[in-house]
Amino acid sequence: TLEHEQRFTADAAHELRTPLAAIKTNLQVIQRARNEDERNEANVGLGVSVDRATRLVEQLMTLARLDPQTNKEQGQQLLALDMATLLAAQMPSWRAQAEKLHLSLSADLQPALCGLHQDSFLILLRNLLDNAFRYTPAGGAVSIACQMEGEQACLRIADSGPGIPPAMRERVFDRFVRLAGADKPGSGLGLSIVKRIVDTHHASMSLSDGIDGQGLNVEIRFLPVSTL
């Protein structure tokens, strides 16, 4: 456990070094700017770097809150909730985000009663949708669906983006792992957080090809209410 935490601390420090270095560079450019255009360009870069560092810290704090020992001590309780109701409440903001990114967003929300911890489930949704929206090019599609399959409630989030090669589909759950050639900013923690939440729900998750054989499909099956 100590080795695991030491590695995590070292990885976190390494990841933070990049946006902090960019912040320092942009500040130096602002100080030495010869005209207003140079100063404005550096200000934009500074804002991007601050946002990246802030997002990384937020993700690290989320991981800390989801630590198994912390959850055990706090006694995180799963309640019988309808997944479709929780998803429907989030749809307006997701549709607005998709429209802004020129993406089509479809939803098939059927009643799906299961054991959920609402706050962490919403974090899971935010990370999965954030990934789908970020990596799907403009003009692409994202879909959200939930339904009962037997006694299990099933959630599926799919997109038409570049997807994840089958050989990498296990590794992407490791912290700070990002795909080679990925040109979008990210912390490499989103799917790690999703996996941690799936584990705390005693659920199962699988990755497969997405919409029309392209992109990524994330399927998560949650515990039936009868097991709570």
Side-chain angles (χ1 to χ4, degrees):
T1 300
L2 179 59
E3 289 179 358
H4 179 76
E5 291 308 315
Q6 287 175 336
R7 184 168 65 251
F8 173 67
T9 302
D11 288 343
H14 176 76
E15 292 297 319
L16 279 167
R17 194 173 293 131
T18 299
L20 291 176
I23 289 171
K24 183 176 181 179
T25 298
N26 282 294
L27 282 173
Q28 290 173 340
V29 172
I30 291 171
Q31 292 169 347
R32 301 170 183 172
R34 293 167 295 182
N35 53 57
E36 195 64 23
D37 288 341
E38 284 188 4
R39 188 175 293 106
N40 290 336
E41 184 177 350
N43 274 323
V44 171
L46 180 61
V48 170
S49 299
V50 169
D51 288 344
R52 180 177 177 184
T54 301
R55 173 65 172 165
L56 177 56
V57 170
E58 289 173 347
Q59 294 284 62
L60 289 169
M61 292 176 66
T62 298
L63 268 179
R65 288 196 301 269
L66 293 170
D67 179 79
Q69 185 61 34
T70 300
N71 286 325
K72 182 179 178 181
E73 293 170 355
Q74 293 177 349
Q76 185 183 84
Q77 185 178 4
L78 302 182
L79 302 176
L81 298 172
D82 179 17
M83 189 188 304
T85 300
L86 296 178
L87 289 168
Q90 304 298 316
M91 287 305 301
S93 62
W94 291 338
R95 290 194 187 282
Q97 188 176 353
E99 183 177 353
K100 184 178 180 181
L101 296 170
H102 305 290
L103 300 172
S104 68
L105 176 63
S106 61
D108 180 10
L109 308 181
Q110 302 179 32
L113 192 65
C114 58
L116 294 175
H117 180 267
Q118 181 170 326
D119 290 344
S120 60
F121 178 68
L122 293 177
I123 293 172
L124 175 148
L125 291 174
R126 186 179 67 215
N127 278 281
L128 288 178
L129 265 297
D130 182 58
N131 274 358
F133 288 152
R134 180 184 298 152
Y135 291 104
T136 303
V142 176
S143 67
I144 308 169
C146 69
Q147 64 184 52
M148 294 300 298
E149 295 187 359
E151 289 191 342
Q152 290 186 319
C154 184
L155 168 69
R156 293 187 180 91
I157 296 179
D159 62 62
S160 61
I164 298 175
M168 286 292 294
R169 287 176 184 169
E170 288 298 323
R171 285 209 59 212
V172 291
F173 296 117
D174 294 340
R175 294 180 294 200
F176 303 111
V177 169
R178 302 191 70 223
L179 295 179
D183 58 353
K184 302 292 184 179
S187 65
L189 290 172
L191 287 178
S192 297
I193 290 172
V194 169
K195 181 64 165 59
R196 182 72 62 83
I197 295 171
V198 167
D199 290 344
T200 60
H201 279 78
H202 308 290
S204 62
M205 177 167 56
S206 62
L207 304 182
S208 58
D209 293 337
I211 298 173
D212 296 330
Q214 297 181 341
L216 182 69
N217 176 67
V218 181
E219 177 179 300
I220 306 175
R221 293 177 177 271
F222 291 87
L223 289 175
V225 174
S226 59
T227 64
L228 298 181

